[in-house]
């Protein structure tokens, strides 16, 4: 298991959930929900700021494939967002996140939170699920999960 904190990111159309894990890669915890920027890079800039604050070794972005494993418009959006993050020079991995939001909603419902009260935090809980799955998989299989986003070298856009 590699040593170092990581961020987990759940990319949504309106919001981005962010979670982090401890440097030992034992447990993921929620950090915040970042508003998706309609234009510009405010969302990427905020996530990079969080990454610097927590001195992470990489960012793990959930890859929302369909249940059959096929790409969807959400998949394309998450991959494009992961590429924007990776273009800044920080290592980014894409990991399968099928049903993470559904699992997060179920977990919050089990605590008695209504759908309206879930909205501000469901993205953070989904990010926790994505990151916890990734660090558990790395520990179990002794290799980093998912795939690395490779960006051609050149100047960073941010």
């Amino acid at each position: 298991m590699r040593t170092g904190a990581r961020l987990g990111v759940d990319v949504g159309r309106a919001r981005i959930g962010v979670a982090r894990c401890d440097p030992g890669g034992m447990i993921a915890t929620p950090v915040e929900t970042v508003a998706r920027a309609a234009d510009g890079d405010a969302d990427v800039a905020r996530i990079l700021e969080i990454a610097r604050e927590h001195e992470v070794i990489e960012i793990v972005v959930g890859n929302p494939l369909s249940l059959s494993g096929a790409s969807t418009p959400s998949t394309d959006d998450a991959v494009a967002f992961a590429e924007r993050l990776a273009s800044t020079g920080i290592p980014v991995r894409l990991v399968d996140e099928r049903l993470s939001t559904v699992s997060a909603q179920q977990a919050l419902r089990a605590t008695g939170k209504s759908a309206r009260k879930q909205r501000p935090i469901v993205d953070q809980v989904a990010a926790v699920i994505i990151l916890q799955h990734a660090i558990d998989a790395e520990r179990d299989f002794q290799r980093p999960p998912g795939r690395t986003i490779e960006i051609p070298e050149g100047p960073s856009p941010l």
Side-chain angles (χ1 to χ4, degrees):
M1 177 84 179
R2 296 170 299 150
T3 302
R6 297 155 181 82
L7 283 189
V9 174
D10 177 53
V11 179
R13 288 185 181 162
R15 293 173 304 278
I16 301 163
V18 181
R20 71 172 186 89
C21 71
D22 58 286
M26 294 303 293
I27 189 157
T29 57
V31 175
E32 73 178 70
T33 301
V34 175
R36 192 74 189 264
D39 56 0
D41 290 315
D43 46 6
V44 170
R46 178 61 189 138
I47 291 170
L48 292 175
E49 185 179 329
I50 295 167
R52 282 188 295 273
E53 287 172 16
H54 295 285
E55 300 176 344
V56 303
I57 62 167
E58 71 184 2
I59 298 175
V60 176
V61 177
N63 191 15
L65 300 167
S66 71
L67 289 178
S68 69
S71 290
T72 68
S74 293
T75 306
D76 297 340
D77 186 42
V79 170
F81 192 82
E83 289 172 346
R84 287 174 57 210
L85 287 169
S87 72
T88 67
I90 191 161
V92 176
R93 301 191 73 76
L94 272 174
V95 298
D96 188 343
E97 68 131 313
R98 283 178 264 193
L99 301 177
S100 64
T101 300
V102 172
S103 297
Q105 290 168 336
Q106 289 173 338
L108 288 169
R109 219 179 353 262
T111 67
K113 292 214 181 293
S114 69
R116 187 170 26 154
K117 289 182 180 178
Q118 289 179 18
R119 205 168 294 129
I121 59 171
V122 71
D123 302 293
Q124 290 177 44
V125 175
V128 166
I129 291 168
I130 291 164
L131 183 55
Q132 190 67 53
H133 173 74
I135 58 179
D136 289 348
E138 182 169 340
R139 191 175 312 100
D140 292 346
F141 299 109
Q142 295 300 305
R143 62 180 158 77
R147 69 177 174 94
T148 302
I149 297 291
E150 299 292 338
I151 298 295
E153 288 195 32
S156 170
L158 293 180

